[in-house]
Amino acid sequence: MKLHPMWQDYPDLAKQLTTTLQLMENVVKLKNKNVESAVLDMIHAGGKLLRPAYQLLFAQFGTDQDEKRATSLAASIEMLHTATLIHDDIVDESELRRGLPTIRSAFGNDTAVYAGDYLFICCFKLLSDYATSLKSLQLNSRSMEKILDGELGQMDDRYKLDQTIDEYLENISGKTAELFALSCFVGAFESGNSERFAKKAGTIGHNIGIAFQIMDDLLDYQADAAMLGKPVLEDVRQGVYSLPLIYALNQDNQLLRPYLEKKKNMTDEDTRQVQRLVHQLGGVTYAQQLAAEYTEQALKDIRKLPDNYFDTKEKLERLTSQILLRKS
């Protein structure tokens, strides 16, 4: 069971994440073995497992160190994340995810919907078995609502040439940041910490999630298709405009409009021109600066965490700093 190479620097966490993956694998039991295999392939397709990692790290601040509960709840969060990815691929008509065929491209939309729904069920099975109170279940369901709101907001804003930065931030607050916030909150709360401390952890997770999504969006303007595992700027063809492009549009809408108005008919040359113009108009620089601001706020709050957990704080700082430097 292979983890992303980044976890070589975190051996104790790597063991917990391996257990988390094993738990996810054990929970997935479908009569349709082809779909079961596809779901398992996606689970093992090289995702970074950042959300369960943050959950496990914040669990170390608690007085109740139950390893089985911590890894099971981490598995539930990652299954929720995987379910949203499967449904994202349906909406976006994506052919590839992490360099592999998506479930929708391999088996069709109907099967992919059922696979995503099944993972939601798996998520709540683990939560109901291992959460110590209804609080985590309530928060998880509310988080799913916020994630959906973010996705719907993004859908409403497709091909919107006058989208604002605030609208973008609102969408990714639900779509991405909410799950990071949930991971940190549940990790802290379910290990015996106060709700007040857990909310602080959730705020840290929210800022990390915003920075992560901005960096993810930046990769479209800095990486090639092989590195991304999907076609470059495919989101732009689908009408999903991220921060670098939104900033560039706000600087010179007319310069970019002729390319973007082609929508799904944009050629590879069109996307290269959009890339070039986004760089030229300062979109990449602005997004890098904003990601750095959210990362620094998260780091500032991490440094305020209790000093008697120095090793865990150091890991949180290092991991959070790595997000800002990632290339894939």
Side-chain angles (χ1 to χ4, degrees):
M1 200 168 290
K2 197 173 180 182
L3 294 177
H4 192 279
M6 69 182 290
W7 300 118
Q8 291 173 3
D9 296 331
Y10 305 85
D12 292 340
L13 195 54
K15 289 178 185 176
Q16 288 184 298
L17 289 172
T18 299
T19 301
T20 299
L21 280 177
Q22 289 169 339
L23 283 168
M24 291 170 67
E25 187 176 288
N26 293 341
V27 170
V28 176
K29 302 293 179 190
L30 282 163
K31 289 181 181 178
N32 186 319
K33 294 304 171 184
N34 286 333
V35 179
E36 180 182 277
S37 176
V39 171
L40 292 174
D41 283 347
M42 188 162 180
I43 287 171
H44 296 296
K48 294 179 181 65
L49 302 178
L50 283 168
R51 295 153 191 83
Y54 276 106
Q55 181 166 321
L56 291 165
L57 284 170
F58 272 101
Q60 293 177 18
F61 287 92
T63 55
D64 184 3
Q65 295 296 311
D66 186 326
E67 181 84 4
K68 178 69 171 176
R69 183 192 301 140
T71 51
S72 296
L73 292 174
S76 76
I77 293 291
E78 187 62 16
M79 293 188 112
L80 173 56
H81 173 54
T82 306
T84 64
L85 294 183
I86 292 172
H87 286 172
D88 275 355
D89 290 338
I90 297 167
V91 173
D92 296 339
E93 299 179 0
S94 301
E95 298 297 319
L96 294 174
R97 165 76 65 178
R98 296 167 184 163
L100 297 173
T102 58
I103 291 179
R104 67 154 293 277
S105 67
F107 298 100
N109 283 343
D110 290 351
T111 299
V113 169
Y114 293 134
D117 290 349
Y118 178 73
L119 284 174
F120 281 125
I121 293 167
C122 291
C123 163
F124 278 99
K125 275 200 306 187
L126 285 170
L127 270 175
S128 61
D129 286 344
Y130 290 98
T132 57
S133 73
L134 283 174
K135 188 73 179 175
S136 294
L137 282 165
Q138 289 169 343
L139 278 164
N140 207 292
S141 59
R142 287 174 192 162
S143 291
M144 287 179 64
E145 182 180 9
K146 289 178 182 176
I147 291 165
L148 178 60
D149 279 344
E151 293 287 0
L152 289 172
Q154 187 180 81
M155 186 182 297
D156 289 341
D157 289 336
R158 280 179 186 253
Y159 298 112
K160 187 178 178 183
L161 295 172
D162 60 350
Q163 187 178 161
T164 67
I165 291 170
D166 284 345
E167 287 171 334
Y168 163 82
L169 290 173
E170 184 179 353
N171 289 341
I172 68 169
S173 287
K175 177 188 155 189
T176 303
E178 182 60 30
L179 203 45
F180 275 91
L182 179 70
S183 301
C184 297
F185 180 96
V186 170
F189 186 72
E190 286 291 340
S191 57
N193 286 291
S194 68
E195 187 172 342
R196 182 181 176 187
F197 179 85
K199 283 181 177 177
K200 288 181 181 177
T203 298
I204 291 170
H206 180 271
N207 287 326
I208 290 168
I210 294 284
F212 177 86
Q213 185 59 58
I214 293 173
M215 291 306 299
D216 203 57
D217 292 338
L218 269 166
L219 291 176
D220 255 347
Y221 297 91
Q222 297 174 317
D224 58 26
M227 190 179 289
L228 285 178
K230 63 179 182 179
V232 173
L233 289 189
E234 185 60 28
D235 284 350
V236 175
R237 284 192 177 100
Q238 299 289 341
V240 179
Y241 301 159
S242 62
L243 183 59
L245 178 56
I246 292 167
Y247 180 86
L249 278 166
N250 289 341
Q251 301 307 302
D252 194 331
N253 190 293
Q254 297 305 313
L255 205 55
L256 287 154
R257 184 183 288 270
Y259 303 104
L260 300 178
E261 284 180 339
K262 295 181 182 181
K263 299 183 177 179
K264 290 185 179 182
N265 294 321
M266 286 177 69
T267 65
D268 289 344
E269 179 57 29
D270 291 332
T271 61
R272 281 192 288 271
Q273 288 300 321
V274 169
Q275 264 188 325
R276 182 183 63 79
L277 288 169
V278 166
H279 277 270
Q280 180 182 310
L281 293 167
V284 169
T285 300
Y286 176 81
Q288 288 170 332
Q289 290 170 346
L290 194 59
E293 288 176 19
Y294 276 97
T295 302
E296 188 50 47
Q297 184 57 56
L299 289 170
K300 184 178 175 182
D301 290 338
I302 288 169
R303 293 178 191 122
K304 293 178 183 176
L305 294 171
D307 287 333
N308 51 324
Y309 294 94
F310 176 80
D311 287 347
T312 303
K313 283 177 66 173
E314 189 274 332
K315 287 173 188 171
L316 280 169
E317 281 193 59
R318 192 155 36 111
L319 183 58
T320 302
S321 298
Q322 276 181 265
I323 289 177
L324 199 63
L325 302 172
R326 69 196 186 96
K327 302 296 181 187
S328 64

